[in-house]
Amino acid sequence: MPERVLATDAALKLIELLKGKHGPLMFHQSGGCCDGSSPMCYPDGDLIIGDQDVLLGYIGGAPFYMHKNQFEYWKHTQLIIDVVDGRGGMFSLEGVEGKRFLTRSRAFSAEENKVLQERLLS
């Protein structure tokens, strides 16, 4: 079964570091505004998740959400969360580490899209 969201080894290593400092984490894919379109990392529960948010999966044991309107644009794409040097969003936990999470992506194959669609219908 294809995963909607994955993390690179570098991202998983940073997630573990942040969990050690902040406890359980959560992610939300920002759709723009002041922090651009970035995966934002928060202490679990610090961002209120509503019925307009879609749970895409888990990375490093942390739930990863996206607003349903944004999901409509990205639903044919696998998100690959990576990490690079530099400062990211001012509200995201990794900024003080001199790193930022970055979303890479790839389009699902026709076969993967079929499986994902069948999962939605069941």
Side-chain angles (χ1 to χ4, degrees):
M1 174 92 42
E3 297 296 327
R4 291 202 175 274
V5 61
L6 301 172
T8 64
D9 289 341
L12 292 171
K13 184 177 177 182
L14 182 55
I15 290 168
E16 287 305 311
L17 174 77
L18 294 172
K19 284 180 4 186
K21 291 183 175 186
H22 303 282
L25 304 174
M26 64 183 294
F27 285 85
H28 193 280
Q29 177 67 40
S30 172
C33 184
C34 48
D35 281 323
S37 182
S38 304
M40 303 296 288
C41 180
Y42 304 97
D44 194 26
D46 267 21
L47 181 70
I48 297 172
I49 298 299
D51 58 2
Q52 299 292 308
D53 293 302
V54 176
L55 175 64
L56 298 183
Y58 294 83
I59 57 172
F64 194 101
Y65 298 92
M66 176 184 283
H67 190 276
K68 75 175 189 173
N69 291 342
Q70 188 177 9
F71 176 70
E72 280 303 309
Y73 293 109
W74 289 77
K75 67 184 175 184
H76 303 293
T77 325
Q78 183 177 59
L79 304 182
I80 303 152
I81 307 308
D82 201 358
V83 65
V84 295
D85 291 332
R87 300 248 335 154
M90 67 174 69
F91 303 115
S92 196
L93 290 176
E94 78 280 3
V96 298
E97 306 299 328
K99 305 280 184 188
R100 68 182 181 94
F101 289 109
L102 175 76
T103 301
R104 301 184 191 281
S105 64
R106 73 166 185 89
F108 286 120
S109 68
E111 295 81 27
E112 288 171 318
N113 274 315
K114 182 179 176 189
V115 168
L116 289 166
Q117 184 62 31
E118 289 170 356
R119 182 178 6 170
L120 283 176
L121 298 176
S122 60

CSV table of all heavy atoms in Angstrom, one decimal, residues 12-68:
chain,number,residue,atom,x,y,z
A,12,LEU,N,14.0,11.9,9.7
A,12,LEU,CA,13.7,11.0,10.9
A,12,LEU,C,14.7,11.2,12.0
A,12,LEU,O,14.3,11.2,13.2
A,12,LEU,CB,13.7,9.5,10.5
A,12,LEU,CG,12.5,9.1,9.6
A,12,LEU,CD1,12.8,7.7,9.0
A,12,LEU,CD2,11.2,9.2,10.2
A,13,LYS,N,15.9,11.5,11.7
A,13,LYS,CA,16.9,11.8,12.7
A,13,LYS,C,16.6,13.1,13.5
A,13,LYS,O,16.7,13.2,14.7
A,13,LYS,CB,18.3,11.9,12.1
A,13,LYS,CG,19.4,12.1,13.1
A,13,LYS,CD,20.8,12.0,12.4
A,13,LYS,CE,21.9,12.3,13.3
A,13,LYS,NZ,23.2,12.4,12.7
A,14,LEU,N,16.2,14.1,12.7
A,14,LEU,CA,15.8,15.4,13.3
A,14,LEU,C,14.5,15.2,14.1
A,14,LEU,O,14.4,15.8,15.2
A,14,LEU,CB,15.6,16.4,12.2
A,14,LEU,CG,15.3,17.9,12.7
A,14,LEU,CD1,16.3,18.4,13.7
A,14,LEU,CD2,15.2,18.8,11.5
A,15,ILE,N,13.6,14.5,13.7
A,15,ILE,CA,12.4,14.2,14.4
A,15,ILE,C,12.7,13.6,15.8
A,15,ILE,O,12.2,14.0,16.8
A,15,ILE,CB,11.4,13.3,13.6
A,15,ILE,CG1,10.8,14.1,12.4
A,15,ILE,CG2,10.2,12.8,14.5
A,15,ILE,CD1,10.1,13.3,11.4
A,16,GLU,N,13.6,12.6,15.8
A,16,GLU,CA,14.0,12.0,17.1
A,16,GLU,C,14.7,13.0,18.0
A,16,GLU,O,14.4,13.0,19.2
A,16,GLU,CB,14.9,10.8,16.8
A,16,GLU,CG,14.2,9.6,16.3
A,16,GLU,CD,13.0,9.2,17.1
A,16,GLU,OE1,13.2,9.0,18.3
A,16,GLU,OE2,11.9,9.0,16.5
A,17,LEU,N,15.5,13.9,17.5
A,17,LEU,CA,16.1,14.9,18.3
A,17,LEU,C,15.1,15.8,18.9
A,17,LEU,O,15.1,16.1,20.1
A,17,LEU,CB,17.1,15.7,17.4
A,17,LEU,CG,17.7,17.0,18.1
A,17,LEU,CD1,18.8,16.5,19.1
A,17,LEU,CD2,18.3,17.9,17.1
A,18,LEU,N,14.1,16.3,18.1
A,18,LEU,CA,13.1,17.2,18.5
A,18,LEU,C,12.1,16.5,19.5
A,18,LEU,O,11.7,17.1,20.5
A,18,LEU,CB,12.2,17.7,17.3
A,18,LEU,CG,13.0,18.6,16.4
A,18,LEU,CD1,12.2,18.9,15.1
A,18,LEU,CD2,13.5,19.9,17.1
A,19,LYS,N,11.9,15.2,19.3
A,19,LYS,CA,11.0,14.5,20.3
A,19,LYS,C,11.7,14.4,21.7
A,19,LYS,O,11.1,14.5,22.7
A,19,LYS,CB,10.7,13.1,19.8
A,19,LYS,CG,9.6,13.1,18.8
A,19,LYS,CD,9.2,11.8,18.2
A,19,LYS,CE,9.7,10.5,18.6
A,19,LYS,NZ,9.2,9.3,17.8
A,20,GLY,N,13.1,14.2,21.6
A,20,GLY,CA,13.8,14.2,22.9
A,20,GLY,C,13.8,15.5,23.6
A,20,GLY,O,13.8,15.6,24.9
A,21,LYS,N,13.6,16.6,22.9
A,21,LYS,CA,13.6,17.9,23.5
A,21,LYS,C,12.2,18.4,23.9
A,21,LYS,O,12.0,19.1,24.8
A,21,LYS,CB,14.2,19.0,22.6
A,21,LYS,CG,15.7,18.9,22.4
A,21,LYS,CD,16.2,20.0,21.6
A,21,LYS,CE,17.8,19.9,21.5
A,21,LYS,NZ,18.3,21.1,20.8
A,22,HIS,N,11.2,18.0,23.1
A,22,HIS,CA,9.8,18.5,23.2
A,22,HIS,C,8.8,17.5,23.5
A,22,HIS,O,7.6,17.9,23.6
A,22,HIS,CB,9.5,19.3,21.9
A,22,HIS,CG,10.4,20.4,21.5
A,22,HIS,ND1,10.4,21.6,22.2
A,22,HIS,CD2,11.5,20.4,20.7
A,22,HIS,CE1,11.4,22.4,21.7
A,22,HIS,NE2,12.0,21.7,20.7
A,23,GLY,N,9.1,16.2,23.5
A,23,GLY,CA,8.1,15.2,23.6
A,23,GLY,C,7.4,14.9,22.3
A,23,GLY,O,7.9,15.2,21.2
A,24,PRO,N,6.2,14.3,22.4
A,24,PRO,CA,5.5,13.9,21.2
A,24,PRO,C,5.3,15.1,20.2
A,24,PRO,O,5.0,16.2,20.7
A,24,PRO,CB,4.2,13.4,21.7
A,24,PRO,CG,4.4,12.9,23.1
A,24,PRO,CD,5.5,13.9,23.6
A,25,LEU,N,5.3,14.8,18.9
A,25,LEU,CA,5.2,15.9,17.9
A,25,LEU,C,4.0,15.7,17.0
A,25,LEU,O,3.5,14.6,17.0
A,25,LEU,CB,6.5,15.9,17.1
A,25,LEU,CG,7.8,16.1,17.8
A,25,LEU,CD1,9.0,15.9,16.8
A,25,LEU,CD2,7.9,17.4,18.5
A,26,MET,N,3.7,16.7,16.2
A,26,MET,CA,2.7,16.6,15.2
A,26,MET,C,3.2,17.5,14.0
A,26,MET,O,4.0,18.4,14.3
A,26,MET,CB,1.4,17.1,15.7
A,26,MET,CG,1.3,18.5,16.1
A,26,MET,SD,-0.3,19.0,16.7
A,26,MET,CE,-1.3,18.9,15.3
A,27,PHE,N,2.7,17.2,12.8
A,27,PHE,CA,3.1,18.0,11.7
A,27,PHE,C,1.8,18.5,11.0
A,27,PHE,O,0.8,17.8,11.0
A,27,PHE,CB,3.9,17.2,10.6
A,27,PHE,CG,5.3,17.0,11.0
A,27,PHE,CD1,5.7,15.9,11.9
A,27,PHE,CD2,6.3,17.8,10.6
A,27,PHE,CE1,7.0,15.7,12.2
A,27,PHE,CE2,7.6,17.6,10.9
A,27,PHE,CZ,8.0,16.5,11.8
A,28,HIS,N,1.9,19.7,10.3
A,28,HIS,CA,0.9,20.2,9.5
A,28,HIS,C,1.5,20.8,8.3
A,28,HIS,O,2.4,21.6,8.4
A,28,HIS,CB,0.0,21.2,10.2
A,28,HIS,CG,-1.3,21.5,9.5
A,28,HIS,ND1,-1.4,22.4,8.4
A,28,HIS,CD2,-2.5,21.0,9.7
A,28,HIS,CE1,-2.6,22.4,8.0
A,28,HIS,NE2,-3.3,21.6,8.8
A,29,GLN,N,1.1,20.4,7.1
A,29,GLN,CA,1.7,21.0,5.9
A,29,GLN,C,1.0,22.4,5.7
A,29,GLN,O,-0.2,22.5,5.5
A,29,GLN,CB,1.4,20.1,4.7
A,29,GLN,CG,1.8,20.7,3.3
A,29,GLN,CD,3.3,20.8,3.2
A,29,GLN,OE1,4.1,19.9,3.7
A,29,GLN,NE2,3.8,21.8,2.7
A,30,SER,N,1.9,23.4,5.8
A,30,SER,CA,1.4,24.8,5.7
A,30,SER,C,1.0,25.0,4.2
A,30,SER,O,1.6,24.5,3.3
A,30,SER,CB,2.5,25.7,6.1
A,30,SER,OG,2.2,27.1,5.8
A,31,GLY,N,-0.1,25.8,4.1
A,31,GLY,CA,-0.5,26.1,2.7
A,31,GLY,C,-0.1,27.5,2.2
A,31,GLY,O,-0.6,28.0,1.3
A,32,GLY,N,0.8,28.1,2.9
A,32,GLY,CA,1.2,29.4,2.5
A,32,GLY,C,1.2,30.4,3.7
A,32,GLY,O,1.5,30.0,4.8
A,33,CYS,N,0.8,31.6,3.4
A,33,CYS,CA,0.8,32.7,4.4
A,33,CYS,C,2.2,33.0,4.9
A,33,CYS,O,3.1,33.0,4.1
A,33,CYS,CB,-0.1,32.3,5.6
A,33,CYS,SG,-0.4,33.6,6.8
A,34,CYS,N,2.4,33.3,6.2
A,34,CYS,CA,3.6,33.9,6.6
A,34,CYS,C,4.8,32.9,6.6
A,34,CYS,O,5.9,33.3,6.5
A,34,CYS,CB,3.5,34.4,8.0
A,34,CYS,SG,2.6,33.3,9.2
A,35,ASP,N,4.5,31.6,6.6
A,35,ASP,CA,5.6,30.6,6.6
A,35,ASP,C,5.8,29.9,5.3
A,35,ASP,O,6.4,28.9,5.2
A,35,ASP,CB,5.5,29.6,7.8
A,35,ASP,CG,5.9,30.2,9.1
A,35,ASP,OD1,6.9,31.0,9.1
A,35,ASP,OD2,5.3,29.9,10.1
A,36,GLY,N,5.1,30.3,4.3
A,36,GLY,CA,5.2,29.7,3.0
A,36,GLY,C,4.5,28.3,3.0
A,36,GLY,O,3.7,28.0,3.8
A,37,SER,N,4.9,27.5,2.1
A,37,SER,CA,4.3,26.1,2.0
A,37,SER,C,5.4,25.2,2.5
A,37,SER,O,6.2,24.6,1.8
A,37,SER,CB,4.0,25.8,0.5
A,37,SER,OG,3.4,24.6,0.4
A,38,SER,N,5.3,25.0,3.8
A,38,SER,CA,6.4,24.1,4.5
A,38,SER,C,5.7,23.2,5.4
A,38,SER,O,4.6,23.4,6.0
A,38,SER,CB,7.3,25.0,5.4
A,38,SER,OG,7.9,26.0,4.6
A,39,PRO,N,6.3,22.0,5.7
A,39,PRO,CA,5.9,21.2,6.7
A,39,PRO,C,6.2,21.8,8.1
A,39,PRO,O,7.4,22.1,8.3
A,39,PRO,CB,6.6,19.8,6.5
A,39,PRO,CG,7.8,20.2,5.7
A,39,PRO,CD,7.5,21.5,5.0
A,40,MET,N,5.2,22.0,8.9
A,40,MET,CA,5.4,22.7,10.2
A,40,MET,C,5.4,21.6,11.3
A,40,MET,O,4.4,20.8,11.3
A,40,MET,CB,4.3,23.7,10.4
A,40,MET,CG,4.3,24.8,9.3
A,40,MET,SD,5.7,25.8,9.2
A,40,MET,CE,5.5,26.8,10.6
A,41,CYS,N,6.3,21.7,12.2
A,41,CYS,CA,6.4,20.7,13.3
A,41,CYS,C,6.1,21.4,14.6
A,41,CYS,O,6.7,22.5,14.9
A,41,CYS,CB,7.9,20.2,13.3
A,41,CYS,SG,8.2,19.0,14.6
A,42,TYR,N,5.2,20.8,15.4
A,42,TYR,CA,4.7,21.4,16.6
A,42,TYR,C,4.8,20.3,17.7
A,42,TYR,O,4.7,19.1,17.4
A,42,TYR,CB,3.3,21.9,16.5
A,42,TYR,CG,3.0,22.9,15.4
A,42,TYR,CD1,2.5,22.4,14.2
A,42,TYR,CD2,3.2,24.2,15.6
A,42,TYR,CE1,2.2,23.4,13.2
A,42,TYR,CE2,2.9,25.1,14.6
A,42,TYR,CZ,2.4,24.7,13.4
A,42,TYR,OH,2.2,25.6,12.5
A,43,PRO,N,4.8,20.7,19.0
A,43,PRO,CA,4.5,19.8,20.0
A,43,PRO,C,3.1,19.2,19.8
A,43,PRO,O,2.2,20.0,19.4
A,43,PRO,CB,4.6,20.6,21.3
A,43,PRO,CG,5.5,21.8,21.0
A,43,PRO,CD,5.2,22.1,19.6
A,44,ASP,N,2.9,18.0,20.0
A,44,ASP,CA,1.6,17.3,19.8
A,44,ASP,C,0.6,18.1,20.6
A,44,ASP,O,0.7,18.3,21.8
A,44,ASP,CB,1.6,15.9,20.2
A,44,ASP,CG,0.4,15.1,19.6
A,44,ASP,OD1,-0.1,15.5,18.6
A,44,ASP,OD2,0.1,14.1,20.2
A,45,GLY,N,-0.5,18.5,19.9
A,45,GLY,CA,-1.6,19.2,20.5
A,45,GLY,C,-1.5,20.7,20.5
A,45,GLY,O,-2.5,21.4,20.8
A,46,ASP,N,-0.4,21.3,20.1
A,46,ASP,CA,-0.2,22.7,20.1
A,46,ASP,C,-1.0,23.4,18.9
A,46,ASP,O,-1.3,24.6,19.0
A,46,ASP,CB,1.3,23.1,20.0
A,46,ASP,CG,1.9,23.4,21.3
A,46,ASP,OD1,1.4,22.9,22.4
A,46,ASP,OD2,2.9,24.1,21.4
A,47,LEU,N,-1.2,22.7,17.9
A,47,LEU,CA,-2.0,23.2,16.8
A,47,LEU,C,-3.4,22.4,16.8
A,47,LEU,O,-3.4,21.2,16.9
A,47,LEU,CB,-1.3,22.9,15.4
A,47,LEU,CG,-2.1,23.4,14.2
A,47,LEU,CD1,-2.1,24.9,14.2
A,47,LEU,CD2,-1.5,22.9,12.9
A,48,ILE,N,-4.4,23.2,16.8
A,48,ILE,CA,-5.8,22.6,16.9
A,48,ILE,C,-6.1,22.0,15.5
A,48,ILE,O,-6.1,22.8,14.5
A,48,ILE,CB,-6.8,23.6,17.4
A,48,ILE,CG1,-6.5,24.0,18.8
A,48,ILE,CG2,-8.2,23.0,17.3
A,48,ILE,CD1,-7.4,25.1,19.3
A,49,ILE,N,-6.4,20.7,15.5
A,49,ILE,CA,-6.8,20.1,14.2
A,49,ILE,C,-8.3,20.0,14.2
A,49,ILE,O,-8.9,19.7,15.1
A,49,ILE,CB,-6.2,18.6,14.2
A,49,ILE,CG1,-4.7,18.7,14.2
A,49,ILE,CG2,-6.7,17.9,13.0
A,49,ILE,CD1,-4.0,19.4,13.1
A,50,GLY,N,-8.8,20.5,13.0
A,50,GLY,CA,-10.2,20.5,12.9
A,50,GLY,C,-10.7,19.5,11.8
A,50,GLY,O,-10.0,18.7,11.3
A,51,ASP,N,-12.0,19.5,11.6
A,51,ASP,CA,-12.6,18.6,10.7
A,51,ASP,C,-12.3,18.9,9.2
A,51,ASP,O,-12.7,18.1,8.3
A,51,ASP,CB,-14.1,18.4,10.9
A,51,ASP,CG,-14.9,19.7,10.8
A,51,ASP,OD1,-14.3,20.7,10.5
A,51,ASP,OD2,-16.1,19.7,11.0
A,52,GLN,N,-11.6,20.0,9.0
A,52,GLN,CA,-11.2,20.4,7.7
A,52,GLN,C,-9.8,19.8,7.4
A,52,GLN,O,-9.3,20.0,6.3
A,52,GLN,CB,-11.2,21.9,7.5
A,52,GLN,CG,-12.6,22.5,7.7
A,52,GLN,CD,-13.5,22.1,6.5
A,52,GLN,OE1,-13.2,22.3,5.4
A,52,GLN,NE2,-14.6,21.6,6.9
A,53,ASP,N,-9.1,19.2,8.4
A,53,ASP,CA,-7.8,18.7,8.2
A,53,ASP,C,-7.8,17.2,7.9
A,53,ASP,O,-8.7,16.5,8.5
A,53,ASP,CB,-7.0,19.0,9.4
A,53,ASP,CG,-6.7,20.4,9.6
A,53,ASP,OD1,-6.1,21.0,8.7
A,53,ASP,OD2,-7.1,21.0,10.7
A,54,VAL,N,-6.9,16.7,7.1
A,54,VAL,CA,-6.8,15.3,6.7
A,54,VAL,C,-5.6,14.7,7.3
A,54,VAL,O,-4.5,15.3,7.1
A,54,VAL,CB,-6.8,15.2,5.1
A,54,VAL,CG1,-6.6,13.8,4.7
A,54,VAL,CG2,-8.0,15.8,4.5
A,55,LEU,N,-5.7,13.6,7.9
A,55,LEU,CA,-4.5,12.9,8.4
A,55,LEU,C,-3.9,12.1,7.2
A,55,LEU,O,-4.6,11.2,6.7
A,55,LEU,CB,-4.9,11.9,9.6
A,55,LEU,CG,-3.8,11.1,10.1
A,55,LEU,CD1,-2.6,11.9,10.7
A,55,LEU,CD2,-4.3,10.1,11.1
A,56,LEU,N,-2.7,12.4,6.8
A,56,LEU,CA,-2.1,11.8,5.7
A,56,LEU,C,-1.3,10.5,6.1
A,56,LEU,O,-1.1,9.6,5.3
A,56,LEU,CB,-1.1,12.7,5.0
A,56,LEU,CG,-1.7,14.0,4.3
A,56,LEU,CD1,-0.6,14.7,3.6
A,56,LEU,CD2,-2.8,13.6,3.4
A,57,GLY,N,-0.9,10.5,7.3
A,57,GLY,CA,-0.1,9.4,7.8
A,57,GLY,C,0.8,9.8,9.0
A,57,GLY,O,0.5,10.8,9.6
A,58,TYR,N,1.8,9.0,9.2
A,58,TYR,CA,2.7,9.3,10.3
A,58,TYR,C,4.2,9.3,9.8
A,58,TYR,O,4.5,8.4,9.0
A,58,TYR,CB,2.6,8.2,11.4
A,58,TYR,CG,1.2,8.3,12.1
A,58,TYR,CD1,0.1,7.7,11.5
A,58,TYR,CD2,1.1,9.0,13.3
A,58,TYR,CE1,-1.1,7.8,12.1
A,58,TYR,CE2,-0.2,9.1,13.9
A,58,TYR,CZ,-1.3,8.5,13.3
A,58,TYR,OH,-2.5,8.5,13.9
A,59,ILE,N,5.0,10.2,10.4
A,59,ILE,CA,6.4,10.1,10.1
A,59,ILE,C,7.1,10.2,11.4
A,59,ILE,O,6.8,11.0,12.3
A,59,ILE,CB,6.9,11.3,9.2
A,59,ILE,CG1,6.5,12.7,9.7
A,59,ILE,CG2,6.4,11.1,7.8
A,59,ILE,CD1,7.1,13.8,8.9
A,60,GLY,N,8.0,9.2,11.7
A,60,GLY,CA,8.7,9.2,12.9
A,60,GLY,C,7.7,9.0,14.1
A,60,GLY,O,8.0,9.5,15.2
A,61,GLY,N,6.6,8.5,13.9
A,61,GLY,CA,5.6,8.3,14.9
A,61,GLY,C,4.7,9.5,15.1
A,61,GLY,O,3.8,9.5,16.0
A,62,ALA,N,4.9,10.6,14.4
A,62,ALA,CA,4.2,11.8,14.5
A,62,ALA,C,3.1,11.9,13.5
A,62,ALA,O,3.4,11.7,12.3
A,62,ALA,CB,5.1,13.0,14.5
A,63,PRO,N,1.9,12.3,13.8
A,63,PRO,CA,0.8,12.5,12.8
A,63,PRO,C,1.2,13.6,11.9
A,63,PRO,O,1.7,14.7,12.3
A,63,PRO,CB,-0.4,12.7,13.6
A,63,PRO,CG,0.0,13.3,14.9
A,63,PRO,CD,1.4,12.6,15.2
A,64,PHE,N,0.8,13.5,10.6
A,64,PHE,CA,1.0,14.5,9.6
A,64,PHE,C,-0.3,14.9,8.9
A,64,PHE,O,-1.0,14.0,8.3
A,64,PHE,CB,2.0,14.0,8.5
A,64,PHE,CG,2.6,15.0,7.6
A,64,PHE,CD1,3.8,15.5,7.9
A,64,PHE,CD2,1.8,15.6,6.6
A,64,PHE,CE1,4.4,16.5,7.0
A,64,PHE,CE2,2.4,16.5,5.8
A,64,PHE,CZ,3.6,17.0,6.0
A,65,TYR,N,-0.7,16.2,9.1
A,65,TYR,CA,-2.0,16.6,8.6
A,65,TYR,C,-1.8,17.7,7.4
A,65,TYR,O,-0.8,18.3,7.3
A,65,TYR,CB,-2.8,17.3,9.7
A,65,TYR,CG,-3.1,16.5,10.9
A,65,TYR,CD1,-2.2,16.4,11.9
A,65,TYR,CD2,-4.3,15.7,10.9
A,65,TYR,CE1,-2.5,15.6,13.0
A,65,TYR,CE2,-4.6,14.9,12.0
A,65,TYR,CZ,-3.7,14.9,13.0
A,65,TYR,OH,-4.0,14.1,14.1
A,66,MET,N,-2.9,17.8,6.7
A,66,MET,CA,-3.0,18.9,5.7
A,66,MET,C,-4.5,19.3,5.6
A,66,MET,O,-5.3,18.4,5.7
A,66,MET,CB,-2.5,18.2,4.3
A,66,MET,CG,-2.7,19.2,3.1
A,66,MET,SD,-2.2,18.3,1.6
A,66,MET,CE,-0.4,18.4,1.7
A,67,HIS,N,-4.7,20.5,5.3
A,67,HIS,CA,-6.1,21.0,5.1
A,67,HIS,C,-6.7,20.3,3.9
A,67,HIS,O,-6.0,20.1,2.9
A,67,HIS,CB,-6.1,22.5,4.9
A,67,HIS,CG,-7.5,23.1,5.0
A,67,HIS,ND1,-8.3,23.1,3.9
A,67,HIS,CD2,-8.2,23.6,6.0
A,67,HIS,CE1,-9.4,23.7,4.2
A,67,HIS,NE2,-9.4,24.0,5.5
A,68,LYS,N,-8.0,20.0,4.0
A,68,LYS,CA,-8.6,19.2,2.9
A,68,LYS,C,-8.6,19.9,1.6
A,68,LYS,O,-8.5,19.3,0.5
A,68,LYS,CB,-10.0,18.8,3.3
A,68,LYS,CG,-11.0,19.8,3.3
A,68,LYS,CD,-12.4,19.2,3.6
A,68,LYS,CE,-13.5,20.3,3.4
A,68,LYS,NZ,-14.8,19.7,3.5
